[in-house]
Amino acid sequence: MSTDVAKNLHKVLNSLPTGVDLVAVSKFHPAHEIRVAYDEGQRIFGESHEQELSQKAAALPKDIQWHFIGHLQTNKVRHIAPYIAMVESVDSWKLLCEINRQAEKCHRVIDVLLELHLAEEETKYGFSPDACRKLLAAGEWRNLTHSRICGLMMMASHTDDEEQIRREMLTARQLFDELKQQYFPTDPAFRHRSWGMSHDYSIAIRCGSTLVRIGTSLFGERTY
Ligand SMILES: *Cc1c(COP(=O)(O)O)cnc(C)c1O
């Protein structure tokens, strides 16, 4: 059964209000399907494995903005540093420093989001709200001249309980507002709230998302 990527893309885009951008999550889907979305005008794509991403980035147009959304090992950073537009899944100080170091080597500034862990699942990565506050309060991030903190990313619990999803997303929203006020009041770059996937993005939009990361609703089910 073939997926009508172009049709799905326009359906999703039409459902997004102004101010909410789409990250088309293309992991496990081949380059030719990404190309279909690209030809329809989509430019931001999300991937979660370094090797798969590097192969696709080499094969596809250079004006694609690749967002890294999976757990990133520090020893993989150098492979993506030359071209990655944003690492949404920064989950440790060590990783942030390595991104900064590799970006400097490439004479680039890499945009990053801090990943929050609010879901109940143990398996998910990310900072607790307090760990996030601590990192910013420590202030050392201000010396990282080649990485730029542009906001927060989170994945809500995988549940049918919409109220729980909403609660987690609103907690993220409140933390964003707090950090914005405290550390980035005059920095227009700190503006992203990346939450919402195929099954929960309509909730995310009502909870202040500015970036939705959608895979299945565009490209169909992934076969791992
Ligand atoms: C895979 C993935 C998505 C997309 O999930 P879908 O349910 O296919 O829309 C979003 N965010 C992250 C971090 C992912 O790993």
Side-chain angles (χ1 to χ4, degrees), residues 48-172:
S48 55
H49 295 93
E50 179 276 315
Q51 272 200 342
E52 181 184 353
L53 167 57
S54 290
Q55 281 168 9
K56 288 174 177 173
L60 285 158
K62 300 303 166 218
D63 64 339
I64 288 180
Q65 297 161 46
W66 294 103
H67 284 208
F68 199 90
I69 61 170
H71 178 60
L72 180 58
Q73 290 171 291
T74 49
N75 63 355
K76 302 287 167 87
V77 173
R78 65 191 163 90
H79 300 298
I80 63 170
Y83 66 87
I84 197 79
M86 182 181 274
V87 179
E88 296 199 15
S89 44
V90 169
D91 55 10
S92 71
W93 169 247
K94 187 176 153 216
L95 176 60
L96 180 57
C97 290
E98 180 62 10
I99 291 168
N100 185 73
R101 200 168 77 90
Q102 296 297 339
E104 183 166 15
K105 280 193 191 172
C106 302
H107 310 287
R108 302 185 64 219
V109 174
I110 296 178
D111 286 348
V112 305
L113 304 180
L114 301 178
E115 180 174 357
L116 278 184
H117 179 117
L118 297 169
E120 281 177 349
E121 285 103 275
E122 291 287 329
T123 51
K124 293 195 165 87
Y125 291 96
F127 294 101
S128 67
D130 273 341
C132 207
R133 289 184 182 103
K134 246 186 183 157
L135 184 148
L136 290 171
E140 277 185 84
W141 57 275
R142 296 185 193 276
N143 304 325
L144 303 180
T145 49
H146 291 74
S147 52
R148 185 166 73 156
I149 301 175
C150 297
L152 302 177
M153 182 272 239
M154 63 85 79
M155 260 194 280
S157 291
H158 194 81
T159 170
D160 292 331
D161 183 347
E162 293 200 359
E163 201 37 55
Q164 183 180 348
I165 294 173
R166 221 176 79 84
R167 248 189 338 262
E168 291 172 1
M169 288 175 173
L170 287 177
T171 299

